[in-house]
Amino acid sequence: QCQLSGLWRNEHDSLMEISAVRSNGEFQGKYLTRVTLGGGCARLSPLKGTQQQLGEGEWPTFTFTVHWDKFSNATTAFVGQCFVDTGGKETLTTMWLLREAVGSLEEDWKATR
């Protein structure tokens, strides 16, 4: 069984810490990104999410959002799945969608990555 709670590191050395997953699948945590829109230093931001409740032995899917607190007017939504390889190593695979604020409807086309 794959456990989301704990400390995770991605290929860009960003860190994510997920607190215990509640019985209803909800969780909270913190995301320390090393990659920023403005090219600044790493920042700690809150995250909230939910994990799909599955049966024994299944690989859970999950979603969470990160509000890039105090350094960017953007929010990112992540969706993914947790896997465990034959050696017991847990891996999260995710896709993300980032939305940053723009000043007008005409600029909407460039607001989502």
Side-chain angles (χ1 to χ4, degrees):
Q1 187 76 5
C2 198
Q3 301 295 320
L4 287 182
S5 59
L7 186 64
W8 298 90
R9 178 184 310 271
N10 72 11
E11 66 275 14
H12 301 291
D13 282 333
S14 295
L15 298 173
M16 176 176 68
E17 185 175 16
I18 295 176
S19 61
V21 178
R22 297 185 190 123
S23 61
N24 65 358
E26 293 179 355
F27 59 87
Q28 296 182 67
K30 300 172 188 163
Y31 199 103
L32 178 67
T33 184
R34 303 269 186 215
V35 180
T36 62
L37 291 174
C41 62
R43 304 289 180 139
L44 190 64
S45 296
L47 69 84
K48 291 183 182 180
T50 186
Q51 172 184 303
Q52 188 70 17
Q53 301 298 84
L54 299 174
E56 187 68 29
E58 296 179 356
W59 309 121
T61 59
F62 57 89
T63 182
F64 63 90
T65 58
V66 178
H67 171 89
W68 302 111
D69 205 21
K70 300 178 184 157
F71 73 96
S72 175
N73 193 2
T75 301
T76 303
F78 293 80
V79 294
Q81 189 169 1
C82 189
F83 296 97
V84 180
D85 68 15
T86 56
K89 180 182 177 187
E90 295 174 317
T91 300
L92 302 182
T93 61
T94 62
M95 295 291 290
W96 56 267
L97 187 63
L98 181 139
R99 175 66 188 217
E100 63 182 312
V102 292
S104 69
L105 183 58
E106 291 76 27
E107 295 177 292
D108 184 62
W109 66 271
K110 67 179 182 178
T112 302
R113 300 171 197 218

